[in-house]
Amino acid sequence: MRRKDRQRDEIFAMEIVDQCAYAVLSMVDPDNKAYAVPLSIVRDGTYIYFHCAQEGYKLECLRENPEVCLVCVGNVCPAQDRFTTAFSSAIVKGNCEEVINDTEKINALRLLCQRYTPQNMAAFDQAIARSLARTAVYRIAITQITGKEKK
């Protein structure tokens, strides 16, 4: 990080992961080119979970190279009197793998739903019964996390 005065500790970075509206997952595609997608995420300890379809380009990339970088941004506030924007960010590096254990998969989906759609939790069990078999869940094992705050 160039601006060491903006660097924050791991606890700060984890809070940004927990509070961001979405994150952007960056990876390398099978042709060795950059590829990135926005995701809804949730953190549980040192894992970050997301769900998706069971096929697609993102999964092709992850199968080829599971090393990823996840960018989370929060507290975005454009300045009113200058040409700048204040924000907080966390950059996560890690290895991504599919969750195949149904118990862990359901737990991750429950955490995602509680984060993004808590008002719908009464219908969670019915939704899981209907769609678990066709829903993929992936987890990123955090190997490095850094936080930054620009005021």
Side-chain angles (χ1 to χ4, degrees):
M1 183 177 297
R2 183 180 66 81
R3 295 283 309 263
K4 295 293 184 191
D5 61 313
R6 294 182 179 170
Q7 187 171 349
R8 298 296 179 261
D9 64 16
E10 185 176 304
I11 293 170
F12 176 89
M14 294 287 197
E15 289 172 357
I16 297 305
V17 169
D18 293 342
Q19 296 168 6
C20 69
Y22 66 93
V24 176
L25 181 69
S26 299
M27 60 205 101
V28 176
D29 76 6
D31 294 325
N32 213 29
K33 296 186 178 177
Y35 180 68
V37 293
L39 299 172
S40 300
I41 61 160
V42 69
R43 182 179 66 86
D44 189 16
T46 58
Y47 291 115
I48 297 172
Y49 292 93
F50 63 91
H51 77 291
C52 57
Q54 292 184 333
E55 292 299 324
Y57 192 62
K58 171 178 61 218
L59 302 186
E60 290 176 36
C61 296
L62 292 173
R63 288 183 195 114
E64 186 75 21
N65 184 349
E67 292 182 52
V68 298
C69 181
L70 186 75
V71 177
C72 306
V73 179
N75 306 320
V76 179
C77 184
Q80 300 301 309
D81 59 344
R82 299 177 290 148
F83 296 108
T84 190
T85 302
F87 64 90
S88 302
S89 63
I91 297 176
V92 176
K93 291 185 178 180
N95 294 299
C96 190
E97 65 182 352
E98 185 174 9
V99 175
I100 54 174
N101 175 284
D102 279 352
T103 302
E104 183 179 3
K105 201 171 158 179
I106 291 168
N107 183 61
L109 290 167
R110 184 180 309 281
L111 292 172
L112 280 160
C113 291
Q114 287 171 335
R115 177 174 182 182
Y116 290 99
T117 57
Q119 70 281 3
N120 296 333
M121 291 309 293
F124 178 80
D125 291 333
Q126 290 173 321
I128 288 296
R130 226 178 19 257
S131 62
L132 184 64
R134 65 177 186 259
T135 303
V137 173
Y138 280 74
R139 70 177 179 206
I140 300 167
I142 300 170
T143 57
Q144 181 183 354
I145 186 167
T146 57
K148 171 182 168 182
E149 186 171 36
K150 180 179 182 265
K151 295 181 181 182

